[in-house]
Amino acid sequence: MEPTCVDPSNYGKLLKGVSAAMEMGSLPVELWRVILAYLPLPDLGRCCQVCRAWRELIFSLDNTRWRQLCLGCPECRHPNWPSQPYLEPASWREALKQHALATRTWTRNGQELQSSACLLFFRRRKDRRVWHVGPGCEFETLRGALAVVGPYDRVALHPGVYEEQAEVALKVPVELVGVGRLGEVALLVCIEQQCSTARLCNLVFMPPWFSTVVYKTSWGHVQLDNCNFEGAQLHIRGPGTCQARFCSFSQGSSTHLLGVVLSLLDSCDFSGSDTASVTVEGPPASERNWACKHLAALARTFPAQSNSTPKVPEGSSTGEPDPSGGNVKKENMNMEDWKRRTGGNAVCRGTVIEDGWSDGEHTEGEEENQEAIDNTKKFFTLDYKIPYNHHGLSHLLKTRADGSLPPASSPVPPSVTPEPLNLQQELDRDPEAQMLASSILGCILRRCLFRDGKGGVHLSNYGQARLEENVFRGLNYAVRCIQHSTIVMLRNEVCECRASGVFLRLSAQGLIAENNIHSNGEAGLDIRKGANPIILCNKIHSGLRSGVVVLGNGKGSVRSNLIYNNKEAGVYILFSGNPVVSGNRIFQGQAAGVAINENGRGLITENVIRENQWGGVDIRRGGDPILRNNYICYGYSDGVVVGERGRGLIEGNHVYCNKGCGVWVMSSSLPQLLGNYIVHNCMYGLAVFCRKDPDNIEAREGSWAGQEGIGGDIANGERRGVEGEAREGQENFNEEGELFAWESDLDSEDERHSARRSISVALMEGNCVSYNGAVGLYVKSSEALNVLANLMNRNCGPGIAVLQSAQLTRLVTNCIVENGRGGITVEKDCRVELRGNGIYENSGHGVRFSGTGQIAENDVVGNCGYGIQVSASTDIKVVRNRVQPAQGCGIALLGPVKGVVHDNILFQGHPENKKPLLHMDAGNESCVLRNNSILRPNNSGTSSPHWLLENPPPRPLASSPVGLSSSQYPSRLGISMTTRVGAAVESGCHSGSMFCSIL
């Protein structure tokens, strides 16, 4: 049985007995707790002041007496009502203390600087009267009681319904309290507050016949405790203020705050709204009333921001923090584990690529049996080998000072990825975010529940609001912030909205941090029309469309978030959207990780983008981002996709362990790939395809939906998604005079690209393409291409394969070393220039060339097949190359080759190699040979010749990527309504982008 309070006349005796007994120490602590549990609240407070032992004993009653007092208070509800009434508070005593402080705010408007006035104020409060209203009481109507009340008097309304036929005015500070249980006292009134302060408690407000507004004030402070609003509106106009606690707003009720400096809505329940439940409009008024400083003090007592890093959800790759304290994540999944999980095979054996060409077939010179290959490798143990390890890109292969291998030469993929920063770390490095996080201005909503209505919170026209630990569930939208308004959202839950969860546009701004945004019908966050929020450390997941959408010149900084398991792109940028997306983990999405198209831009940097079903990053249709220093890995399709008319700077990324290609590029696009590590992908490292064949477009689109098993209409899903969001918000567009046509606001093409270097040829420079399952660089293109200073090593197929190149492809100063097939393969009718490359120790021919162009100033050393094999070429120049085959010919001209071969130096590879170093088929009269040097060892000696590659040293000569540095590329750069185009799979292998989201 729970203890009850004793007769007040016995308090003194009880306390004296307790004191004497405690001094004697004759009873155990458990028994003292039982005795003290009978004390009322005032005596518990007095006991705390006796001594430290008593204080600790009283505090130990938290789950018994303090809980009973807290739940028994008629003016409040469970401390975690309405969103988590099942969750026990950290301290019942502290909850009761905070409630007591909050309920007294309305009386704290005395003149604190004048002692006499202060004493008069306290005396007036002490002597205030209680007026009773109801049948058989002093007054039968509320209006009658308010006509006689004095300052700070209490009006006790007994159970019943009180209706007034005209507006009622509060002219002196007064307290209106309902007697009995909540719901037994109902008011059908419209009250206008004309005094400095008032309090309303335990009442139900319903609108009278002449107005839906039941309470309004324009300069005083009103405190609402444990009240219900049913189909009614509360209006507060600045400098007026409001404090509402444990109130319910239902049946279309709402709160309108206009120009409010500060108001606090705490632990309120909003349901069934026809419009927004809370509307904040206009900038805070310049004038402030007396309550602002007290409300600010209450607001600051709320728990400080969490310093924890968002936890990666179950089912994803886990990791441990770096012992040094750095923000890195150690991946527990290795390549073999990932292949077992996905069914992927890192080695593409005999895969048909295009037109019957296969990187698994051996051509003449490569058709030696395995024993011959082994013998060739055995030759390398002899002294005929020419050293080349000091070539210009050798630093990319050398062991580091700490003994670790660089990504280009490591047989295992990277095991460490950056860990997202926690909120405190983000605030420490961002003064603007820090200022927003500490701001206390406008409407403050905390621990409220918004459910089952049209809208949650709507800010407009420079309004300001702060939302902490609220729950938004089952609404059309949770938050809309427009027209230069400022929103601060901390630790809220936004879920199951029918449209976007949080919608910002028309230059809105603010801080959105540590929220859980999930399971929404449209985007979790929708940023448009110049909105520029800071989005930090949120969990954005399980959305029915995209996680974050930025479009229509939207901006924003999206940092250190967990974005996962969304049905469409994790981050979707289009229509000149230009955000900064940095330090996020974007994973396990059912489409692309990041999609940029329809002239979207953005800076995408230092993110971990992994385990997405389609492309890790997808750039199309004028998309022009900067993609820098990201980890794009373990995808079920390609790592990076640059589709039709895609652009952008792709620099310094780690692209590895993707089931498709590392980077897939359509030849009509103009990307710049600089300094990326593209390693351990299951198919091509870097593939450039021509996709202008109109005959196959329909087939490809149809095959895409079929492959995914999600129906033919999915191909247009993203377009319908953005259009659906726009239609849902069309009512607001029209109300605000905003044009629905986004294109009218977009920058012109000239403006968009005027600040950047004009690019007319796709550029691939300074990349490391290693350990991929097929060809390192695969080219089937109708456009020009520049491939400069790249490292292609240890790929399972040839280092570079050019199958189609209608315009000139330049392969300059690359290093192609130790690939599983040949070094460079160029097919018939291709225009290719090979210049300044180092081609070393590949398992097939060094160069197999059947196209048109020139092979000039290359070092082709130690390859298992021929050094340079030229066949079916109509116009070829082979000049100033240095060639040493391990076996076979140095330079072989097969068939009716037309061209010139001169000034080459050929070194014998091994004395047992009987094939001529320079071979031309008999009867070939259209090829000119001149000034070629053939070097063989001195037959009289037994030692190996000391041949060196000098003047110049081993190629490539470039020690670092040539061309522009990243600092010369300005930040420019978002999302669009588009159609997903499918990727064809021909003969079991992808000739387009396999499984890739083409948005």
Side-chain angles (χ1 to χ4, degrees):
M1 182 178 67
E2 292 189 349
T4 57
C5 294
V6 299
D7 190 307
S9 61
N10 296 324
Y11 288 164
K13 295 179 182 179
L14 179 62
L15 290 176
K16 288 180 181 179
V18 169
S19 178
M22 289 193 72
E23 289 176 1
M24 296 173 60
S26 57
L27 294 177
V29 174
E30 289 76 11
L31 186 55
W32 291 125
R33 288 173 178 159
V34 174
I35 296 172
L36 294 174
Y38 285 89
L39 296 181
L41 180 60
D43 289 329
L44 284 174
R46 295 187 185 100
C47 289
C48 285
Q49 298 175 350
V50 173
C51 64
R52 181 175 298 176
W54 277 52
R55 179 182 179 87
E56 293 177 355
L57 185 59
I58 298 300
F59 279 15
S60 70
L61 303 176
D62 193 79
N63 288 324
T64 54
R65 184 58 175 158
W66 289 110
R67 184 180 187 275
Q68 182 189 22
L69 290 171
C70 189
L71 294 179
C73 178
E75 299 177 356
C76 71
R77 310 190 195 191
H78 189 286
N80 290 319
W81 183 89
S83 58
Q84 295 177 309
Y86 50 84
L87 183 64
E88 296 280 304
S91 169
W92 288 97
R93 183 191 65 82
E94 185 64 25
L96 186 61
K97 173 185 173 182
Q98 294 300 327
H99 168 71
L101 292 174
T103 55
R104 297 171 187 170
T105 304
W106 78 284
T107 63
R108 301 178 66 184
N109 65 330
Q111 300 294 325
E112 298 178 359
L113 298 179
Q114 299 180 10
S115 59
S116 59
C118 183
L119 293 175
L120 178 64
F121 166 67
F122 281 113
R123 183 169 64 252
R124 184 170 66 240
R125 284 198 308 164
K126 185 176 182 179
D127 297 337
R128 68 178 184 165
R129 294 185 58 180
V130 178
W131 305 90
H132 294 271
V133 178
C137 299
E138 299 169 83
F139 299 94
E140 291 191 357
T141 65
L142 175 62
R143 188 183 296 273
L146 293 177
V148 299
V149 296
Y152 300 95
D153 284 353
R154 169 179 286 196
V155 177
L157 296 162
H158 289 260
V161 178
Y162 300 87
E163 183 175 6
E164 298 292 342
Q165 299 300 316
E167 191 175 274
V168 175
L170 299 183
K171 297 185 178 180
V172 295
V174 67
E175 182 179 26
L176 305 181
V177 179
V179 177
R181 300 176 60 184
L182 178 63
E184 294 181 353
V185 179
L187 301 182
L188 280 75
V189 297
C190 176
I191 300 175
E192 180 180 5
Q193 179 179 330
Q194 299 175 359
C195 56
S196 60
T197 183
R199 179 173 183 254
L200 294 84
C201 178
N202 210 39
L203 302 170
V204 176
F205 287 91
M206 294 183 286
W209 64 270
F210 57 90
S211 176
T212 58
V213 179
V214 297
Y215 199 95
K216 57 186 176 181
T217 182
S218 59
W219 66 278
H221 172 72
V222 59
Q223 181 165 329
L224 303 165
D225 291 321
N226 200 32
C227 293
N228 283 359
F229 291 78
E230 298 179 359
Q233 296 183 13
L234 172 65
H235 281 199
I236 309 295
R237 181 184 292 270
T241 55
C242 172
Q243 180 185 1
R245 303 178 69 251
F246 301 109
C247 294
S248 291
F249 296 79
S250 60
Q251 302 177 22
S253 298
S254 59
T255 300
H256 294 260
L257 306 173
L258 181 61
V260 169
V261 177
L262 195 59
S263 284
L264 176 60
L265 307 181
D266 188 355
S267 301
C268 295
D269 180 18
F270 298 86
S271 63
S273 62
D274 298 327
T275 58
S277 296
V278 177
T279 300
V280 183
E281 184 178 358
S286 57
E287 182 182 357
R288 301 192 175 198
N289 70 8
W290 66 269
C292 286
K293 62 180 179 180
H294 302 293
L295 292 177
L298 275 177
R300 291 191 179 96
T301 62
F302 201 56
Q305 289 82 3
S306 168
N307 291 336
S308 62
T309 300
K311 294 182 179 179
V312 177
E314 294 181 5
S316 65
S317 301
T318 58
E320 300 177 356
D322 181 53
S324 64
N327 281 22
V328 297
K329 185 179 184 67
K330 295 183 179 179
E331 306 290 351
N332 291 335
M333 187 197 314
N334 59 30
M335 186 64 172
E336 295 302 321
D337 294 338
W338 180 76
K339 285 191 289 183
R340 281 194 295 270
R341 277 181 49 183
T342 63
N345 186 355
V347 180
C348 194
R349 301 182 185 276
T351 302
V352 178
I353 298 178
E354 289 287 343
D355 303 326
W357 187 88
S358 169
D359 70 347
E361 291 184 9
H362 291 270
T363 58
E364 183 181 352
E366 293 177 290
E367 295 174 348
E368 311 293 342
N369 56 34
Q370 188 61 42
E371 182 179 356
I373 298 294
D374 293 340
N375 289 337
T376 300
K377 294 179 180 178
K378 185 178 178 181
F379 292 166
F380 272 23
T381 62
L382 304 179
D383 293 334
Y384 279 58
K385 182 177 180 180
I386 299 177
Y388 62 87
N389 292 330
H390 53 293
H391 59 78
L393 298 180
S394 60
H395 61 282
L396 298 174
L397 297 168
K398 291 180 179 177
T399 303
R400 295 167 175 164
D402 60 1
S404 63
L405 293 173
S409 60
S410 174
V412 296
S415 60
V416 175
T417 56
E419 184 76 4
L421 301 179
N422 61 40
L423 181 57
Q424 190 57 53
Q425 291 170 323
E426 285 285 1
L427 296 179
D428 289 343
R429 69 176 192 168
D430 188 340
E432 181 183 358
Q434 193 171 36
M435 180 186 68
L436 288 168
S438 61
S439 66
I440 304 292
L441 201 62
C443 177
I444 300 175
L445 294 104
R446 64 187 192 187
R447 295 181 298 213
C448 295
L449 173 63
F450 296 81
R451 58 189 172 91
D452 305 324
K454 181 175 181 180
V457 179
H458 183 88
L459 287 81
S460 63
N461 194 23
Y462 295 91
Q464 297 191 33
R466 181 184 180 95
L467 282 57
E468 300 180 71
E469 291 194 4
N470 304 285
V471 175
F472 299 85
R473 183 173 61 236
L475 306 167
N476 277 9
Y477 64 87
V479 177
R480 284 186 185 268
C481 184
I482 63 174
Q483 296 172 337
H484 301 275
S485 297
T486 302
I487 184 77
V488 176
M489 292 183 65
L490 302 175
R491 300 180 298 278
N492 301 278
E493 181 178 9
V494 178
C495 63
E496 300 174 12
C497 294
R498 290 178 284 278
S500 298
V502 180
F503 194 6
L504 301 102
R505 68 172 185 264
L506 297 174
S507 302
Q509 58 184 337
L511 172 65
I512 301 172
E514 288 194 335
N515 301 282
N516 186 10
I517 302 172
H518 65 94
S519 308
N520 296 290
E522 301 290 348
L525 284 161
D526 189 313
I527 304 168
R528 315 184 184 196
K529 288 296 208 177
N532 190 18
I534 301 172
I535 302 168
L536 306 177
C537 305
N538 302 280
K539 292 199 292 185
I540 305 169
H541 62 99
S542 307
L544 299 183
R545 290 200 181 276
S546 299
V548 180
V549 170
V550 187
L551 70 157
N553 290 313
K555 302 180 181 67
S557 181
V558 184
R559 307 199 305 265
S560 298
N561 302 280
L562 299 181
I563 304 173
Y564 60 95
N565 196 31
N566 294 288
K567 195 168 184 179
E568 293 176 353
V571 178
Y572 191 19
I573 307 171
L574 72 165
F575 288 148
S576 295
N578 189 14
V580 174
V581 181
S582 174
N584 304 281
R585 295 185 72 86
I586 305 170
F587 60 100
Q588 295 180 355
Q590 299 178 39
V594 179
I596 309 103
N597 72 76
E598 298 293 347
N599 300 318
R601 293 173 285 172
L603 173 61
I604 319 297
T605 180
E606 297 179 356
N607 302 281
V608 178
I609 304 170
R610 59 178 294 149
E611 299 177 63
N612 295 286
Q613 290 291 332
W614 298 353
V617 177
D618 193 291
I619 306 168
R620 301 180 181 272
R621 303 183 67 160
D624 189 11
I626 295 177
L627 186 67
R628 178 178 290 147
N629 298 338
N630 300 280
Y631 287 78
I632 305 169
C633 54
Y634 296 107
Y636 294 90
S637 176
D638 305 310
V640 179
V641 176
V642 186
E644 181 183 2
R645 294 189 291 110
R647 300 174 66 93
L649 172 63
I650 303 171
E651 180 180 28
N653 302 282
H654 292 257
V655 185
Y656 59 93
C657 293
N658 295 286
K659 194 172 182 181
C661 300
V663 179
W664 186 95
V665 179
M666 184 177 288
S667 63
S668 61
S669 60
L670 291 174
Q672 302 166 68
L673 284 85
L674 307 179
N676 301 282
Y677 289 93
I678 305 170
V679 298
H680 295 281
N681 298 285
C682 288
M683 299 190 74
Y684 314 126
L686 201 161
V688 182
F689 283 96
C690 172
R691 273 312 192 193
K692 290 189 175 181
D693 182 3
D695 297 334
N696 293 329
I697 291 177
E698 184 177 352
R700 287 195 299 272
E701 290 179 349
S703 67
W704 171 246
Q707 288 171 31
E708 295 302 348
I710 54 180
D713 59 344
I714 289 298
N716 296 313
E718 286 288 350
R719 179 186 293 275
R720 292 202 313 272
V722 178
E723 288 174 345
E725 293 172 31
R727 282 196 301 271
E728 187 279 329
Q730 192 166 2
E731 176 184 349
N732 288 328
F733 283 128
N734 296 334
E735 289 174 359
E736 296 149 17
E738 183 178 357
L739 293 177
F740 181 69
W742 298 106
E743 289 81 356
S744 62
D745 288 330
L746 303 184
D747 297 333
S748 69
E749 193 75 18
D750 292 339
E751 291 172 340
R752 206 162 34 242
H753 300 296
S754 60
R756 59 167 292 166
R757 182 177 69 161
S758 177
I759 299 297
S760 59
V761 178
L763 174 65
M764 299 169 187
E765 181 177 3
N767 303 284
C768 294
V769 185
S770 307
Y771 291 96
N772 296 288
V775 182
L777 170 60
Y778 177 90
V779 180
K780 186 178 181 183
S781 172
S782 59
E783 307 292 338
L785 177 66
N786 289 337
V787 182
L788 312 176
N790 300 279
L791 173 65
M792 311 279 177
N793 76 300
R794 298 198 177 186
N795 299 286
C796 292
I800 299 175
V802 183
L803 272 71
Q804 177 181 322
S805 179
Q807 298 191 41
L808 181 63
T809 294
R810 299 179 67 240
L811 307 178
V812 180
T813 65
N814 301 283
C815 183
I816 299 96
V817 57
E818 296 184 13
N819 293 284
R821 298 290 185 262
I824 298 176
T825 297
V826 178
E827 293 295 330
K828 189 176 180 181
D829 299 325
C830 295
R831 294 183 57 200
V832 178
E833 176 187 357
L834 305 181
R835 184 179 296 274
N837 302 284
I839 305 168
Y840 304 112
E841 294 189 23
N842 298 284
S843 296
H845 298 319
V847 177
R848 184 167 68 85
F849 199 99
S850 300
T852 300
Q854 57 180 314
I855 306 171
E857 300 176 355
N858 302 281
D859 289 339
V860 187
V861 173
N863 299 283
C864 292
Y866 292 176
I868 299 175
Q869 181 198 79
V870 181
S871 61
S873 181
T874 57
D875 187 5
I876 181 69
K877 292 182 179 179
V878 183
V879 296
R880 295 186 296 280
N881 299 283
R882 297 182 292 194
V883 183
Q884 183 197 39
Q887 64 179 7
C889 300
I891 298 177
L893 307 174
L894 307 178
V897 175
K898 179 181 179 180
V900 58
V901 180
H902 67 85
D903 295 311
N904 299 284
I905 302 176
L906 292 88
F907 302 88
Q908 185 172 355
H910 194 274
E912 296 184 11
N913 181 13
K914 305 303 182 182
K915 293 186 178 181
L917 289 179
L918 180 58
H919 168 80
M920 183 172 65
D921 283 352
N924 187 344
E925 299 178 354
S926 58
C927 189
V928 178
L929 306 180
R930 66 170 183 265
N931 297 334
N932 298 289
S933 301
I934 298 177
L935 302 184
R936 301 181 185 276
N938 188 347
N939 292 330
S940 61
T942 59
S943 62
S944 299
H946 297 286
W947 290 326
L948 297 175
L949 300 177
E950 54 186 359
N951 296 323
R955 300 182 176 100
L957 303 180
S959 59
S960 61
V962 296
L964 289 178
S965 66
S966 60
S967 62
Q968 293 173 272
Y969 296 92
S971 267
R972 52 224 190 296
L973 329 149
I975 259 186
S976 104
M977 309 176 192
T978 55
T979 302
R980 293 190 184 121
V981 181
V985 174
E986 301 175 11
S987 305
C989 177
H990 87 211
S991 57
S993 172
M994 184 174 107
F995 302 126
C996 176
S997 104
I998 307 178
L999 301 175

